[in-house]
Amino acid sequence: MKIIVIIPTYNEKENVGRLLENIAGKIFKEISNHQMGILIVDGASPDGTAGIVKAKSAIYPNINLIEEKEKRGIGSAYIAGMKCAIEKLGADVVIEFDGDWQHDPNDIKRLVAEFDNGYDYVIGSRYVPGGSIPTEWALWRKFLSRFGGLTAKIVLGLPVNDATSGLKLSRVKNFAERLPLDENKVLSKYYAYKIQFLYEMLKMGAKTKEIPIQFLERQGGSSKSTLKDIFDSLRVVLILRFVKK
Ligand SMILES: Nc1nc2c(ncn2[C@@H]2O[C@H](COP(=O)(O)OP(=O)(O)OP(=O)(O)O)[C@@H](O)[C@H]2O)c(=O)[nH]1
Ligand SMILES: [Mg+2]
């Protein structure tokens, strides 16, 4: 199977080079039963992130790059990434992965192992036993991280503890290919797209598994998530509950 790890980046020059080196140079060599690739979707980072990616893709031909014209939100970046992975790169499986070391590259192997066990949708979950978020996070940061997922669980009754986790694996055939991979159809261009995609995947009957992950502190650069994401998540949850059927 062809598995593409999609990584959105905005100003990740301190992280992206080492991350690509680790995933393409080490982790992929430890997965022998699939054809692995990376797709970076860079939101026109002014810090030179795309240049670092190009240099790495000269060493590792399975590193691909989309250069967006501007920063358009993480949801928009993933839509562009999933479309390209499915239509141009021929992906059978897509993995969502952050570009700042908050996800452990070793967890890619654990996601793929669950796909090999027959799951269509594997969620790296911070809020199941064994999962965690950084202990040093301030209370407001913990609240921000928990709010969207908890609201989705309660209001939509989703049987998942971490709806907004950024680490996910999705089977393409019958599932990711049927997601609304179109900016005019998706309900949010920001983080809340994750709630909609989870909702749609479960509705399609994806065989789903949550595995615990340690969500680490970002290593360099700065966060792009804001308090506005709370209201955006709430908006998406309410639309899914009361408008969209
Ligand atoms: N292309 C693109 N990438 C983005 C955009 N916003 C965020 N990203 C990337 O998406 C990933 C997740 O964003 P983060 O800012 O780390 O969000 P977060 O993990 O919730 O926040 P922190 O815990 O503070 O890092 C990172 O690799 C970002 O560089 C965007 O508008 N466009
Ligand atoms: Mg982050």
Side-chain angles (χ1 to χ4, degrees):
M1 293 275 171
K2 186 155 191 189
I3 302 182
I4 299 293
V5 180
I6 304 171
I7 307 176
T9 54
Y10 184 75
N11 284 351
E12 300 290 2
K13 72 167 182 193
E14 292 169 47
N15 296 314
V16 77
R18 279 185 308 120
L19 189 62
L20 289 174
E21 198 60 55
N22 188 289
I23 297 175
K26 178 172 171 285
I27 301 295
F28 282 180
K29 296 204 165 79
E30 296 165 8
I31 302 173
S32 53
N33 57 334
H34 297 287
Q35 198 189 335
M36 304 297 298
I38 298 175
L39 175 59
I40 297 278
V41 186
D42 185 58
S45 302
D47 73 344
T49 296
I52 299 172
V53 177
K54 282 179 197 157
K56 292 293 175 195
S57 70
I59 305 168
Y60 302 101
N62 56 350
I63 295 176
N64 305 276
L65 170 66
I66 296 177
E67 289 184 87
E68 298 196 289
K69 290 198 182 70
E70 57 193 351
K71 180 183 187 317
R72 296 184 305 145
I74 190 173
S76 299
Y78 267 117
I79 288 166
M82 285 193 189
K83 261 183 99 71
C84 173
I86 295 169
E87 292 169 11
K88 295 214 177 89
L89 302 176
D92 300 296
V93 172
V94 287
I95 292 177
E96 294 163 64
F97 196 95
D98 284 0
D100 57 3
W101 288 98
Q102 285 190 285
H103 295 141
D104 180 349
N106 282 295
D107 285 340
I108 293 172
K109 291 181 282 185
R110 297 173 59 226
L111 294 176
V112 171
E114 295 300 347
F115 170 73
D116 288 339
N117 285 339
Y119 288 96
D120 306 307
Y121 194 39
V122 189
I123 300 168
S125 183
R126 301 163 292 182
Y127 303 115
V128 291
S132 67
I133 53 170
T135 43
E136 60 269 35
W137 269 7
L139 200 61
W140 72 268
R141 188 73 187 78
K142 289 181 179 161
F143 176 73
L144 182 68
S145 155
R146 196 79 176 95
F147 179 83
L150 212 51
T151 311
K153 186 175 179 181
I154 294 165
V155 178
L156 299 172
L158 302 179
V160 165
N161 290 303
D162 194 359
T164 53
S165 169
L167 183 62
K168 293 198 177 97
L169 174 150
S170 308
R171 184 191 296 274
V172 169
K173 195 169 188 309
N174 295 331
F175 296 104
E177 66 185 5
R178 289 166 56 204
L179 288 170
L181 299 178
D182 182 330
E183 283 200 31
N184 299 317
K185 290 189 190 142
V186 79
L187 296 173
S188 171
K189 295 178 172 136
Y190 308 103
Y191 289 85
Y193 87 94
K194 290 190 184 285
I195 297 174
Q196 182 183 8
F197 279 15
L198 170 76
Y199 176 85
E200 309 266 2
M201 289 290 272
L202 293 171
K203 208 167 76 176
M204 289 175 210
K207 198 176 162 205
T208 301
K209 180 157 187 185
E210 273 187 290
I211 61 168
I213 59 158
Q214 258 86 61
F215 191 58
L216 310 166
E217 189 56 285
R218 71 158 39 242
Q219 286 200 3
S222 59
S223 174
K224 284 102 215 170
S225 65
T226 66
L227 265 177
K228 272 192 282 184
D229 288 308
I230 285 195
F231 299 104
D232 196 42
S233 295
L234 191 59
R235 184 183 60 81
V236 168
V237 166
L238 293 177
I239 293 174
L240 291 172
R241 173 70 180 82
F242 295 109
V243 183
K244 211 171 173 303
K245 287 284 170 245

